[in-house]
Every structure is written in C-alpha cells, then in structure tokens.
Amino acid sequence: MLSRSNIIQRFNSTSSGISSFKTAAKKSTTQATLSSYSNNGKKNVVILGSGWGGISFLQHIDESKYNVTLISPRPHFLFTPLLPSTPVGTVDEKSIIEPVVNFAVKKTKGNVSYYEAQATKINHAENTVTIKSFSHVNPFGASKNPESIKKNDSADIKYDYLISAVGAEPNTFGIPGVEKHGMFLKEIEHSPKIRKQFIENIERANLLPKGDPERKRLLTLVVVGGGPTGVETAGELQDYVDQDLKKYLPSIAEEVQIHLIEALPVILNMFESKLTSYAQKVLEQTSIKLHLKTAVSEVKETYLVAKTKVSDTESKLEEIPYGTLIWATGNKPRSIVTDLIKEIPEQEGSRRGLLVDEHLKVKGLNNVYAIGDNAVAGLAPTAQVAHQEAEYLTKVFNKNQIGSAKPFKYLHYGALAYLGAEKAIANITYGKRQLYTGGGLITFYIWRLLYLSMIISWRSRFKVMSDWFKLALFKRDFFKEL
Ligand code: FAD
Ligand code: NAI
C-alpha cells in the first residue's frame, strides 16, 4: 500500500492534448491516502467507472466547481449498443471505443485526473476508495517521483462525493461450465475472441468430410439468452454467414446453424407482443433455430444440456453440441457493490445493486451516489437510464443543489433492436407518448440513424458511418487476429 504521499496525476488544465499529461507530487506526513487535490477550496468528486454513467457524468460536471477524479480499469468508453455488430466486423471494434483522455482533455476549466485502476473497496466511514492500479499512472514523471503509483500498487483516494458507476458483470447463475466454455459479449475484448473461435472452427470443419458429426458441431453456434444482446448477436452472426461466408465457402455456410436459446416463452420481452412475434418470425426466416421455454442447466466442453418445458408438468432434456457458445443471460452486481451492500443496514437484502433514493443517493450513506447498472432505482439497466441519471446528477452538483434538488425523473425514449437481414424493431416514445412502433427495413434505417445520434463523440460517429459505408461496397473485415 502506498502511504504518506499526496500525488496529483492530472491532465494539465491550461493546455490541451495528451502530451500535457502531468504529474506533481507533494509529501504529506499526516495522511496515508492519496488525496486528489489539496486545499484549493473545492470539493473532490470521485467517479468510479468509464461507462455510460461515469463518462456522461464526466462530460457534464462543471470542473471549475469541483476537483474531478475518474477511476476505471478500462481506459476507454464503450458504445455498447453497437457491440453486437463487432464480432463479425459489421462495425470495427475501434470505432465504438473512445479513450477516456479524449473526454478528459476537454475539461479545461479545472482539475481532472484519471487513474487507470480498479476500485477494490469503498471505505465509506473514511470517505476513501481503495484502488489497485492497472498501469504506471505516472508515465512521464516516474524517475523523478519514486512514490507514484505503479502497476499493481494500491492506494486510497479521498472523496467528498463519490459517484459509483461501475456497471455490472455477466451473470452465469452459477451454471456449471459456463465460465470455462462460454464466451460473453459485454466488453470490447470479448468481440475478437468470439470471431477467433468462429474462424478457427470454420477452418477445422473445412478439413472434415461432409456428414462428419464433428464438422456439424464445429459449425454450430449457440447463443444463450433471448434478450436484446443475444438476439442482436445471433442476427449479426447470421448476416455474416448469409452475406459473406456464403460467397467464400458456400458449402460451409449452408451447414452453419445458429441456435438461440431462451428460458421464457418469448424473446425480447421488453417489447410488445406484436413486435416480439415479428422478431421471432424474422429470426426463423433467416434460419436461426429458436428454442423457447428452454433453460440451459449445464455446459460441457462440446455440448450443453438444455431443459425445455413442453407442458405445465412435463419437461424435455436435450444435449445440444456446439462449436461456439455465447452466453448472454443478463448481468449481476460487481463484488465492490455487493461488499458495500453487506456493510450498510439500509441495503440489506438488495440483490441487484445499490438501492438509491429519489435523488440517486445510496440509501444509508450521505455522500455516495450510484448511477447506471449498479444502481437500483426501479428502472431497466440501460444506457439511456445511466445517461439520464448522470445528466440529472451533474445538474444538481453544478447548481449546488445537493440535498435540495427536485427528484430524478426518467423520460423513456423507447427501445430498438436489430434482428439481422437489415430488419429491426422499434418502439419510440416520449415518456408515455407513443411516437413510432414498427419493424422491418425502414425501422432498420431508423435504428441506424438513432444509434448514430446516440454516439457520444464525433470521432466514433464518423468511424461508424464509414464502417457502414464500407460495408455497402465491400465485405466485412473478418480477421482471426491482427
Ligand atoms: P458500464 O457502461 O458497463 O460501465 C461500467 C464501467 O465501470 C466500465 O468502465 C468498467 O470498466 C468500470 N468498472 C468496473 N469495475 C470497476 C471498479 N471496480 N472500479 C472502477 N471502475 C470499474 N442499453 C441501451 O439503452 N440501448 C442499447 O442499445 C444497449 N445495447 C447494449 C448492448 C450490449 C451488448 C450490452 C452488453 C449492453 C447494452 N445496453 C444498451 C445496456 C447498457 O450498455 C448498460 O445499461 C450501460 O452500459 C450501463 O452503464 P454503466 O455506466 O452503469 O455501466
Ligand atoms: P437480459 O437480461 O435482457 O436478457 C437475458 C435473457 O436470458 C432473459 O430473457 C432470460 O430469460 C434469459 N436466460 C437467463 N438464464 C437463462 C438460461 N439458463 N437459459 C436460457 N435463457 C436464459 O440481458 P441482455 O440482453 O444482456 O440485456 C441486458 C440489459 O441491457 C437489458 O436491460 C437490456 O434492455 C439492455 N440492452 C438493450 C439493448 C437494446 O436496447 N437494443 C441491447 C442489449 C442490451
């Protein structure tokens, strides 16, 4: 543990660009903490996470009023709505990530620091967060400053206000074999792993004779979870098979079988039944095999075990061989959140995240707020919600209305999902007012337009537009590795 130091590691607020990344160090004999900024009269706001909640908060907070510190192991923001488009190369991985520094350097009116580190514990009694560094955070001043945080070092960061936006992690429900054999699609690094496995399986299958059961297995992709992540991923994979693979390796393409397994009787259950029936029809037309009322209970190296409810009293057990398994059954709270919940009586029994009040303040604590997927505010865990919560909270902070603000009110703009084959479904709303409900090709273009407008940087927007333009002229980039 680093101690007796008071280190400022920041983006120089008077100049721009990463070259101004600067470190200053000052000895302190009284504090065993790294205190972001000392005695400049401003309160320290510490943000945990560089996702929808954390980065939206960083973008909107008035840094001339607060010292702002962002802590996240992930040095980029990820535009999750287009993540299902990346494993097959419809959109390039780099197009939908944006370095944290790109947001931080725009905050020129005050002190903004970024620690590429994981928060391991919120010490609410001491108003500190313990972090474990993921990089040498003092890259340019290390030789002059031997006490700077290095990779794997731990340190305590002091806060006056803490904004917890650490998101959530994939939930396996403890089902045996999932962690070992399944792949998730939650972070950008998951995307090339899925592509690599799919390509390797295609290559191995191509060496085997037609009719060989091993060839069939290798060409079987199973997506578990019929929520939007699972459906969009299955649709994109099928697009690749139908639009690209068919041209390179037609005999392989016609043998690829994608399965989508969902425990409930419907997929995409947040949409009205007219749209979910349409979605099911589209998936089946594109030859994705749907297994409804089917719950996966065990995963082995080459097959999974699934139980289908055939009637109220009867279930059928089935073994489904697979070559690639994508697990998309939703998320659960991270350990830093569950650890905090255990320490606060007001949070007792909360299983989905930190219970917050109508001002997004963590129940039982005075100066800790939670936004996004790690907060339980009676809303769905979506980017839309995380973004609006961050906007609300920054307004409260910027207007110095902490403790006296109006409660947070969420405005629902609806939901969209891509199904594959250039078809999407959408239910666009303005609060309770329905503006558009539909499915098909026109909805697909609406989907594209709205997603472009949701992208939070011009750089990413430009890159995504050029990826889509490129796709209209050429095939997808489908590289095993770079
Ligand atoms: P995240 O965006 O997940 O960010 C969490 C951040 O915290 C990350 O930077 C992470 O590295 C960091 N972190 C993790 N642990 C720690 C720690 N210990 N200390 C510090 N930092 C930590 N929602 C929509 O509204 N529309 C969509 O179309 C949509 N599509 C999606 C597609 C996919 C494939 C997925 C997975 C999700 C999608 N969502 C969509 C949901 C949306 O992405 C989430 O609701 C949203 O990301 C939540 O924002 P967040 O800030 O709470 O968490
Ligand atoms: P989800 O929680 O929405 O869906 C997971 C699905 O997996 C559920 O339908 C569940 O019944 C099923 N499931 C769970 N265990 C299973 C098992 N053992 N076997 C078979 N099926 C099982 O998760 P998802 O899709 O990752 O979405 C997470 C959040 O992100 C949601 O709030 C969603 O709205 C949001 N999101 C929104 C998108 C959009 O608007 N287009 C895209 C992707 C995510």
Side-chain angles (χ1 to χ4, degrees):
M1 173 80 92
L2 267 189
S3 63
R4 295 177 194 286
S5 60
N6 181 357
I7 296 174
I8 303 169
Q9 185 262 318
R10 67 185 173 100
F11 301 89
N12 186 346
S13 56
T14 53
S15 57
S16 63
I18 193 159
S19 58
S20 64
F21 198 56
K22 199 174 148 179
T23 302
K26 188 175 149 216
K27 290 254 180 196
S28 156
T29 46
T30 51
Q31 253 187 349
T33 59
L34 288 169
S35 164
S36 292
Y37 297 99
S38 54
N39 307 330
N40 65 358
K42 295 182 196 172
K43 301 268 191 212
N44 290 341
V45 174
V46 173
I47 309 162
L48 304 183
S50 55
W52 277 99
I55 290 295
S56 303
F57 189 95
L58 176 69
Q59 281 187 310
H60 293 102
I61 189 75
D62 183 348
E63 72 278 13
S64 67
K65 293 189 173 148
Y66 300 93
N67 299 316
V68 182
T69 302
L70 190 134
I71 295 160
S72 178
R74 196 177 81 185
H76 57 259
F77 167 78
L78 168 62
F79 183 75
T80 46
L82 287 177
L83 187 57
S85 300
T86 58
V88 294
T90 305
V91 168
D92 185 52
E93 276 105 10
K94 286 204 283 301
S95 300
I96 58 163
I97 58 172
E98 182 82 37
V100 170
V101 291
N102 287 7
F103 300 101
V105 292
K106 289 192 184 135
K107 310 297 286 182
T108 54
K109 287 184 276 164
N111 294 317
V112 175
S113 13
Y114 168 55
Y115 290 95
E116 188 181 335
Q118 181 168 12
T120 52
K121 186 153 191 337
I122 296 169
N123 313 300
H124 57 94
E126 290 90 38
N127 291 334
T128 64
V129 187
T130 303
I131 65 168
K132 186 176 181 210
S133 180
F134 276 27
S135 78
H136 298 276
V137 294
N138 184 12
F140 303 121
S143 58
K144 285 187 218 133
N145 176 18
E147 285 188 292
S148 62
I149 312 178
K150 306 224 174 55
K151 200 167 179 176
N152 297 324
D153 276 349
S154 289
D156 286 352
I157 303 286
K158 189 140 185 73
Y159 62 80
D160 295 302
Y161 297 108
L162 182 71
I163 316 297
S164 181
V166 297
E169 62 188 32
N171 197 355
T172 66
F173 298 96
I175 294 170
V178 179
E179 291 278 0
K180 193 162 176 210
H181 307 298
M183 284 184 288
F184 303 114
L185 188 59
K186 179 81 172 64
E187 299 295 340
I188 202 70
E189 60 271 20
H190 297 145
S191 169
K193 280 190 193 155
I194 293 172
R195 185 164 58 244
K196 186 167 187 244
Q197 175 144 3
F198 186 24
I199 295 178
E200 280 175 356
N201 285 347
I202 290 172
E203 287 170 351
R204 284 161 63 200
N206 203 24
L207 299 173
L208 298 170
K210 266 193 168 191
D212 187 323
E214 180 64 357
R215 175 172 160 122
K216 189 171 177 207
R217 178 186 76 81
L218 289 167
L219 296 177
T220 301
L221 291 103
V222 177
V223 179
V224 183
T229 302
V231 169
E232 293 189 333
T233 306
E236 290 277 358
L237 287 164
Q238 189 68 49
D239 277 357
Y240 169 72
V241 174
D242 292 341
Q243 294 164 15
D244 293 3
L245 189 62
K246 220 168 223 169
K247 290 177 189 146
Y248 303 125
L249 290 166
S251 64
I252 288 280
E254 70 190 23
E255 286 177 65
V256 172
Q257 178 63 62
I258 298 169
H259 297 257
L260 180 62
I261 303 182
E262 167 55 52
L264 298 175
V266 285
I267 54 164
L268 298 171
N269 74 337
M270 80 270 236
F271 287 94
E272 59 189 89
S273 61
K274 194 175 73 181
L275 293 181
T276 54
S277 314
Y278 174 76
Q280 277 173 215
K281 210 172 76 194
V282 171
L283 294 185
E284 280 162 351
Q285 274 167 0
T286 54
S287 77
I288 291 171
K289 189 157 185 226
L290 266 182
H291 304 251
L292 298 176
K293 297 188 197 166
T294 305
V296 173
S297 55
E298 196 179 353
V299 175
K300 298 280 190 195
E301 195 179 348
T302 54
Y303 68 93
L304 51 79
V305 181
K307 199 179 189 180
T308 306
K309 214 172 164 196
V310 278
S311 71
D312 282 349
T313 51
E314 229 186 302
S315 294
K316 182 184 79 178
L317 218 55
E318 194 185 357
E319 284 178 4
I320 304 176
Y322 70 85
T324 305
L325 172 66
I326 299 166
W327 194 263
T329 61
N331 302 313
K332 64 171 187 189
R334 295 190 190 276
S335 59
I336 185 167
V337 166
T338 49
D339 289 350
L340 184 62
I341 287 170
K342 282 184 210 142
E343 291 177 7
I344 308 168
E346 287 84 345
Q347 297 284 334
E348 205 191 318
S350 176
R351 292 215 197 96
R352 290 182 39 227
L354 292 161
L355 301 174
V356 293
D357 67 14
E358 55 188 16
H359 299 102
L360 307 178
K361 194 159 68 63
V362 173
K363 287 185 179 169
L365 297 178
N366 285 328
N367 52 353
V368 180
Y369 294 79
I371 54 177
D373 285 5
N374 76 168
V376 178
L379 298 164
T382 65
Q384 229 191 122
V385 169
H387 180 74
Q388 285 185 37
E389 288 177 338
E391 271 189 331
Y392 160 83
L393 211 52
T394 49
K395 270 187 200 142
V396 173
F397 273 66
N398 293 346
K399 289 184 187 164
N400 291 320
Q401 289 178 337
I402 300 164
S404 64
K406 282 188 189 156
F408 169 65
K409 246 187 161 171
Y410 170 67
L411 186 62
H412 188 54
Y413 292 110
L416 300 119
Y418 180 59
L419 307 171
E422 302 198 334
K423 292 187 175 86
I425 51 171
N427 175 27
I428 301 166
T429 58
Y430 184 79
K432 289 195 174 129
R433 266 178 62 197
Q434 292 283 341
L435 299 181
Y436 175 85
T437 303
L441 182 67
I442 293 172
T443 311
F444 165 66
Y445 287 110
I446 295 174
W447 172 84
R448 274 196 169 178
L449 269 178
L450 289 177
Y451 273 28
L452 268 186
S453 71
M454 273 172 75
I455 296 178
I456 64 174
S457 84
W458 275 102
R459 169 200 162 275
S460 274
R461 199 170 285 140
F462 177 79
K463 281 178 79 82
V464 168
M465 272 195 293
S466 49
D467 288 343
W468 285 340
F469 183 61
K470 196 211 83 185
L471 189 64
L473 303 176
F474 307 100
K475 293 188 184 61
R476 290 166 177 79
D477 288 345
F478 201 70
F479 300 115
K480 189 154 66 173
E481 50 204 340
L482 291 178

